[in-house]
Amino acid sequence: SADDFGPNFSGAGSLTNLDYTFESVGAASAGGPFPDVSNWDVSNVTSLLSVFEDMHVNSDPNFAGWTLSGITNGTALTDFIKSSAGITNLDVSTFNFPNTVTSLDEFAANSDIVTIDFGVGSTSDFSNVTTLLNFANASGSLQEIIWPASLDLSSLTDATSMINAGALMSPTSYDLFLTVLDSTGPAGAYTLDAGGSLFTPTIISEGNDTAG
């Protein structure tokens, strides 16, 4: 519950691995409040694989004090809140993870998520992320993903089922995503599934519109 950690609890401290820490917490019951982890020091954590997978709660997390600058495991954020219940708004704008992250596979798949906020001003570095496979697959309530303004997708090769089942990004967020793919994305064919996301058509005054 929210009472599990006192206000002076330093959190991870010198811990370096939080893999599976809260996996399936509350799954056998209706789920209580998300634990108060807002003041945890996770700067030395190198991996959080499935840290909140299949967690059942009735409130959203507060990651106000979290900075994931120490991640070394490329798949550290895989399955972050996969199959969770009760988490609707995920604010990870303080994470500022480094370019060591290579995968966000099933980050919020099959969850109740409505908004994922990476932070417009965040320095979270997506430049070595190669895969967003099933990122929010089967999370049909998703209505928004807020990307950093500095988003770099130069290594992305697979976004199969990134969003589907009626989920979407706002036009502003999807416009940014597509613009970044156009300017820094990889050459050659790859798959992008963006559910019901809509983009803003661009009107050109000169030249050929090869994008349709």
Side-chain angles (χ1 to χ4, degrees):
S1 75
D3 300 322
D4 288 347
F5 306 103
N8 297 318
F9 184 73
S10 62
S14 60
L15 292 177
T16 59
N17 191 303
L18 291 176
D19 289 355
Y20 307 103
T21 301
F22 291 96
E23 184 185 19
S24 299
V25 168
S29 63
F34 197 98
D36 183 2
V37 296
S38 58
N39 69 333
W40 280 33
D41 176 3
V42 294
S43 58
N44 292 314
V45 171
T46 61
S47 184
L48 303 95
L49 179 66
S50 298
V51 61
F52 302 114
E53 182 177 356
D54 196 33
M55 190 175 186
H56 290 56
V57 291
N58 59 21
S59 65
D60 295 324
N62 180 355
F63 295 125
W66 284 43
T67 300
L68 299 181
S69 55
I71 288 181
T72 57
N73 176 12
T75 61
L77 294 174
T78 299
D79 300 340
F80 189 70
I81 60 165
K82 176 185 177 182
S83 299
S84 64
I87 300 174
T88 57
N89 296 293
L90 186 66
D91 184 346
V92 291
S93 58
T94 64
F95 277 15
N96 296 323
F97 56 76
N99 63 5
T100 49
V101 174
T102 60
S103 170
L104 289 171
D105 284 358
E106 301 194 344
F107 180 82
N110 193 34
S111 69
D112 293 336
I113 199 67
V114 175
T115 301
I116 301 172
D117 185 359
F118 285 107
V120 171
S122 169
T123 61
S124 286
D125 193 338
F126 287 76
S127 62
N128 284 324
V129 172
T130 62
T131 174
L132 291 167
L133 176 68
N134 295 323
F135 174 82
N137 179 34
S139 297
S141 297
L142 181 67
Q143 296 295 300
E144 178 66 297
I145 302 174
I146 300 172
W147 305 102
S150 59
L151 183 65
D152 183 334
L153 299 172
S154 53
S155 297
L156 186 66
T157 58
D158 191 358
T160 305
S161 297
M162 182 179 81
I163 306 173
N164 62 11
L168 52 86
M169 289 178 262
S170 71
T172 299
S173 294
Y174 194 36
D175 283 350
L176 172 63
F177 193 85
L178 292 176
T179 299
V180 171
L181 276 179
D182 183 52
S183 59
T184 68
Y190 55 93
T191 301
L192 165 64
D193 294 319
S197 302
L198 299 175
F199 62 88
T200 305
T202 299
I203 300 174
I204 58 174
S205 59
E206 184 177 347
N208 297 315
D209 177 12
T210 58

